[in-house]
Amino acid sequence: YNQPGMIYVEYALAPVDPTIVEINPVPGEIEATNKSIYMSFNTSIAEVEKIEVKDSKGWTAEMVLDVNYYVWDKDISIILPQETAKKEDLSVVLKVKDIQGKYATYGEEEGMVNLAYTLVPVTPTVVDCGAVNQTITTSTSSLEIMFNTPIAKVNVVQIQAMFGEFPPLVEGEDYSFYDNILTVNLPAQYLENAVYAPEEYRELLLCLDVEDIQGKKVAYSNSAMYPQEAAEAYGMTFLQYSVKPVTKVTSIDPACGFYEVLPSEVTLTFDNTIQA
């Protein structure tokens, strides 16, 4: 080693036993609607031989890289299948090799990681009705209803009102849903009818038949017409809104534009009686 112009540095490499150092959520009781599991290892991951989720009754789902799970250096993120929300228990089984070629372990099992969870059912409900104090105006274009669990299916969305009856809304045109949010597009003509109704009849009822990923119907009501007991009996959601008319300008004479000489008088016509 005694060569001019050379520097030698020696290291003794101590082997590392690969294991999980962080899990979220930790094994034990979790909500059935939990959608993912994240874990971090103490060494970099080189190969994932298997990741599967299963329950004690024989149901098994094999996870696929970049579809159901993702790997970043020392971290793995698993996106749980929607079916797991209907299970009572869950095991997450992994066979993972680190960059030393060693299988990562967790607990006392050799060459295998097995995470056991007990799934606690969640009662689906509405956490946000999409309007302040449940009051909307005739210019409101849409409502976003937020649930506490992800939505799996919407069977019916229908508007009932004192000032008219309307057919069920159409998915893709009048409403859509993603994760735990249902967006309802309010057809303008439905609300414009409220302008001609007495104030005490300017109430709009949104009737929803919604199932969450547990297969449960969302039974919720803030309506005096259909109280919570009725919502639970029908397995429906009833959201009541007060409709507040908005006065609009229908014409301006002379029309807006550029004038060499400003008009001496401008007339605005409204669609409703106005007060000074």
Side-chain angles (χ1 to χ4, degrees), residues 214-257:
Q214 302 168 104
K216 294 181 177 182
K217 293 288 189 75
V218 183
Y220 174 86
S221 177
N222 64 6
S223 168
M225 292 185 286
Y226 294 91
Q228 183 64 29
E229 294 79 7
E232 293 174 0
Y234 291 116
M236 296 279 289
T237 293
F238 300 106
L239 304 176
Q240 189 168 342
Y241 300 89
S242 296
V243 182
K244 180 181 179 181
V246 174
T247 301
K248 300 178 183 178
V249 175
T250 57
S251 67
I252 300 176
D253 184 26
C256 296

Side-chain angles (χ1 to χ4, degrees), residues 43-246:
T43 66
S44 298
I45 298 166
E47 180 184 358
V48 176
E49 289 190 3
K50 178 176 72 171
I51 296 182
E52 67 179 16
V53 295
K54 58 184 180 180
D55 70 354
S56 59
K57 297 182 179 179
W59 174 83
T60 301
E62 190 80 23
M63 302 291 95
V64 178
L65 177 64
D66 293 335
V67 177
N68 308 112
Y69 74 90
Y70 303 87
V71 179
W72 300 275
D73 191 25
K74 299 179 181 181
D75 303 327
I76 294 179
S77 180
I78 301 173
I79 310 302
L80 294 175
Q82 186 168 295
E83 301 97 302
T84 62
K86 299 180 182 180
K87 308 301 178 182
E88 296 178 357
D89 59 79
L90 193 68
S91 292
V92 181
V93 180
L94 304 93
K95 289 195 71 174
V96 176
K97 282 185 179 180
D98 77 342
I99 56 175
Q100 304 168 102
K102 292 182 176 181
Y103 284 105
T105 62
Y106 180 77
E108 298 179 355
E109 293 195 46
E110 292 291 334
M112 184 77 73
V113 172
N114 194 336
L115 309 177
Y117 293 94
T118 299
L119 303 182
V120 180
V122 176
T123 300
T125 188
V126 174
V127 294
D128 189 348
C129 297
V132 178
N133 298 322
Q134 285 74 56
T135 298
I136 59 178
T137 70
T138 49
S139 63
T140 302
S141 60
S142 65
L143 293 169
E144 283 195 349
I145 295 91
M146 182 181 296
F147 301 86
N148 67 332
T149 71
I151 302 167
K153 187 178 181 183
V154 177
N155 297 312
V156 174
V157 176
Q158 188 164 16
I159 295 175
Q160 294 183 11
M162 294 292 189
F163 46 83
E165 295 183 2
F166 312 105
L169 302 186
V170 178
E171 183 178 354
E173 297 179 15
D174 304 315
Y175 72 88
S176 59
F177 63 94
Y178 176 76
D179 196 25
N180 66 325
I181 296 177
L182 171 65
T183 302
V184 179
N185 300 319
L186 299 174
Q189 66 270 26
Y190 289 11
L191 298 180
E192 288 172 356
N193 289 336
V195 176
Y196 306 102
E199 186 173 353
E200 62 269 23
Y201 293 126
R202 292 173 185 164
E203 297 289 334
L204 181 147
L205 184 68
L206 196 59
C207 306
L208 309 173
D209 185 337
V210 176
E211 296 179 23
D212 79 340
I213 58 173
Q214 302 168 104
K216 294 181 177 182
K217 293 288 189 75
V218 183
Y220 174 86
S221 177
N222 64 6
S223 168
M225 292 185 286
Y226 294 91
Q228 183 64 29
E229 294 79 7
E232 293 174 0
Y234 291 116
M236 296 279 289
T237 293
F238 300 106
L239 304 176
Q240 189 168 342
Y241 300 89
S242 296
V243 182
K244 180 181 179 181
V246 174

